[in-house]
Amino acid sequence: MRITKAKMVETEQNPKLLWGRCLEIIRDNITPEQFAASFAFVELHSLENGKLILDVQSEFVKEYLEENFLQLMASTFKRVFGNSVTKLYYNVKVVKSKRGGDVKEKGAMPKRVDNGPARTDARKTPDDVTAPQVQDLDSQLIPDYTFENYIEGESNRLARSVGESIANNPAKTFNPFFVFGPSGCGKTHLINAIGLRIKELHPELRVLYLSAHLFMVQYRDATIQNKLNDFIRFYQSIDVLIIDDVQELAGEKRAATQNTFFHIFNHLHVNGKQIILSADRPPIAMQDLEDRLLTRFKWGMQAEIEKPTQNLRLGILSAKVEKEGLNIPAKVLKFIAENIDDSVRGLEGIINSLMVNSVVYNCDINMALVKKLMPQFVEKHSKKVLTIEDVKQIVCNHFHLKINQLDSRERTQRIAYARQIAMYLADQMTDNSRMQIGRVIGNRNHATVVHAVKQIQDMMETEDRVREDVEELTLALKASL
């Protein structure tokens, strides 16, 4: 199409009208979710002398536009503006303070972009308007989940230490903080404790805790009610965002939700806000989650919370009994700690059940009552408990090795493979932490065991030999009980 001088003048005089046409075309060519998460935040800043400058809300909106819609923008601008647009610039309104309101130049028109940056004053963002006052925001934190009643043990010491550091200096040490572990090991308690301590030490910060499931429900409702922009702006106004069970965001049908969370995450992180996440597995083990999200989950600090050891279980029981003012003999608590090993919730559940039965039937809490209630909380086990030494012996028999070879520093393929198998089986079939497993198998560290478990899991998916070895050894270990 040939652009006349009159047409160019019209374009210069009515750029906002033409920008509106651009948005209409773009909206018709992408999904509503994509538009809401990207172009809904883009405004025309100016169009002069062939330079089109767009206001974008953050560096990551700009990045998202260029990664996904560069060709669409180029063809749309050509269709609406003709040849009057030769260069594209961005005015990033929300960036790190050291960058101020610089306009970063990016080439939407190939081979037609020079290197000279344009500068404009950053204007007030929607976040400044919609950010809730601290006193008006319900943090949704659980009041009873504090550091004071979070019992420390070998299985949670690292995570607790990191959590306290974050609470003292939000966004200054580990950001994001990703804590993972099996259900019932105390993740929810810990991340709530961090949030409560932050509110105590930094009352000026807006702290919000919620589950990933609730986030998805809110996202769906906001989409249906055409309030997605308000939803995003609200979350971008939070100073400390705590999301529980973030693995629930995974799934092919949740791409739009993941996309929105990605931009919220980026906005918070680039603006120095603290992000705390929990999951039942590490990022590397998550499937159907966008790679760019997984990459960001790994940016900060990852800490694993393992199932509580027997000593920690006994400590948790003792604290619970003291808090409730109960009179339970020490041998009864020890018996419970030895037999309930799945989760903290199981420990709390049996104590609550003992209290109720004691009141209803007006009886003492003794061993007889505990044994009566125990089947409700634990599956029947054989009398023999599998140990790490049992695993080592059966693995050595299978691979025709001696125990001292398995424990040695020798790294031949045959011995290293058997050692990793032993660590994997000990992790899967015994009630020991990975730190304990490493100590018993050649005095290795926790990281070595984590690597061995992951290595065997990966190899089982692709190598029949490894899967067969694990299955045979698992049957042998079960038969030994």
Side-chain angles (χ1 to χ4, degrees), residues 350-373:
I350 193 168
I351 292 298
N352 291 335
S353 186
L354 287 169
M355 284 193 297
V356 172
N357 277 266
S358 175
V359 171
V360 171
Y361 297 107
N362 193 25
C363 62
D364 294 332
I365 298 177
N366 53 30
M367 191 68 76
L369 181 59
V370 172
K371 288 183 177 180
K372 177 183 176 182
L373 298 176

Side-chain angles (χ1 to χ4, degrees), residues 6 65 89 136 160 167 184 188 196 204 220 255 277 286 330 445:
L65 292 176
Y89 296 80
D136 298 329
R160 180 195 174 107
T188 298
L196 290 168
E204 75 283 1
R220 181 199 63 198
L277 308 169
M286 289 187 176
N445 58 31

Side-chain angles (χ1 to χ4, degrees), residues 32-61:
E33 291 80 10
Q34 288 175 322
F35 187 88
S38 54
F39 288 97
F41 298 110
V42 180
E43 298 175 359
L44 177 68
H45 184 83
S46 63
L47 173 59
E48 295 179 0
N49 301 320
K51 294 181 180 180
L52 177 65
I53 302 177
L54 300 179
D55 284 335
V56 295
Q57 197 173 25
S58 71
E59 288 280 352
F60 295 98
V61 171

Side-chain angles (χ1 to χ4, degrees), residues 188-447:
T188 298
H189 190 148
L190 176 62
I191 61 180
N192 269 267
I194 298 171
L196 290 168
R197 180 68 61 82
I198 290 175
K199 282 179 65 66
E200 176 187 346
L201 300 179
H202 308 277
E204 75 283 1
L205 297 182
R206 295 182 289 274
V207 181
L208 180 64
Y209 161 84
L210 76 161
S211 67
H213 176 74
L214 180 57
F215 180 89
M216 290 188 294
V217 170
Q218 292 177 347
Y219 170 82
R220 181 199 63 198
D221 291 345
T223 303
I224 293 172
Q225 298 169 17
N226 198 27
K227 294 182 178 180
L228 190 55
N229 289 348
D230 294 337
F231 172 83
I232 294 173
R233 287 169 182 167
F234 168 77
Y235 275 99
Q236 288 181 339
S237 75
I238 301 301
D239 297 309
V240 181
L241 181 60
I242 306 172
I243 304 283
D244 207 354
D245 291 323
V246 75
Q247 77 277 354
E248 293 193 18
L249 291 176
E252 294 181 1
K253 295 182 179 179
R254 295 170 182 162
T257 310
Q258 291 180 31
N259 179 61
T260 299
F261 184 71
F262 169 79
H263 289 290
I264 291 171
F265 183 105
N266 279 336
H267 179 93
L268 294 178
H269 193 273
V270 79
N271 284 281
K273 310 299 183 182
Q274 180 68 54
I275 303 168
I276 301 168
L277 308 169
S278 84
D280 62 2
R281 71 205 74 164
I284 195 172
M286 289 187 176
Q287 297 179 347
D288 294 329
L289 201 64
E290 291 190 13
D291 289 340
R292 56 181 183 171
L293 264 181
L294 292 176
T295 299
R296 282 154 178 80
F297 288 173
K298 299 173 187 176
W299 274 353
M301 175 69 186
Q302 299 178 48
E304 180 180 13
I305 300 181
E306 299 177 332
K307 290 195 301 184
T309 61
Q310 183 174 320
N311 285 339
L312 179 55
R313 296 197 295 270
L314 186 57
I316 293 170
L317 287 169
S318 300
K320 175 77 172 175
V321 167
E322 181 179 354
K323 177 184 177 183
E324 301 295 342
L326 301 175
N327 182 22
I328 301 180
K331 66 177 182 179
V332 173
L333 294 180
K334 185 173 183 293
F335 178 79
I336 295 173
E338 289 174 346
N339 287 276
I340 296 184
D341 60 5
D342 59 338
S343 70
V344 176
R345 295 191 189 103
L347 299 174
E348 294 178 340
I350 193 168
I351 292 298
N352 291 335
S353 186
L354 287 169
M355 284 193 297
V356 172
N357 277 266
S358 175
V359 171
V360 171
Y361 297 107
N362 193 25
C363 62
D364 294 332
I365 298 177
N366 53 30
M367 191 68 76
L369 181 59
V370 172
K371 288 183 177 180
K372 177 183 176 182
L373 298 176
M374 188 65 72
Q376 302 175 22
F377 296 92
V378 63
E379 296 179 1
K380 289 184 178 180
H381 294 287
S382 62
K383 293 183 179 179
K384 182 179 178 182
V385 176
L386 198 65
T387 67
I388 303 173
E389 294 295 345
D390 294 332
V391 174
K392 290 170 62 177
Q393 186 61 61
I394 288 179
V395 169
C396 285
N397 292 342
H398 182 82
F399 291 105
H400 307 291
L401 297 173
K402 296 180 179 179
I403 295 291
N404 61 359
Q405 289 180 292
L406 198 71
D407 290 335
S408 71
R409 294 291 168 180
E410 190 173 344
R411 301 181 64 180
T412 60
Q413 184 176 359
R414 174 167 164 262
I415 294 176
Y417 172 62
R419 189 181 297 127
Q420 289 182 329
I421 288 277
M423 290 179 176
Y424 171 81
L425 291 169
D427 180 68
Q428 298 295 308
M429 301 187 67
T430 73
D431 180 30
N432 291 277
S433 70
R434 289 176 176 176
M435 191 174 295
Q436 291 172 317
I437 293 170
R439 188 180 301 127
V440 176
I441 303 180
N443 199 26
R444 263 75 177 183
N445 58 31
H446 171 269

Side-chain angles (χ1 to χ4, degrees), residues 130-152:
T130 61
Q133 296 298 315
V134 175
Q135 66 271 19
D136 298 329
L137 176 66
D138 179 5
S139 67
Q140 303 186 50
L141 291 163
I142 303 171
D144 291 339
Y145 284 178
T146 66
F147 277 118
E148 285 69 28
N149 58 26
Y150 186 79
I151 310 302
E152 181 179 319

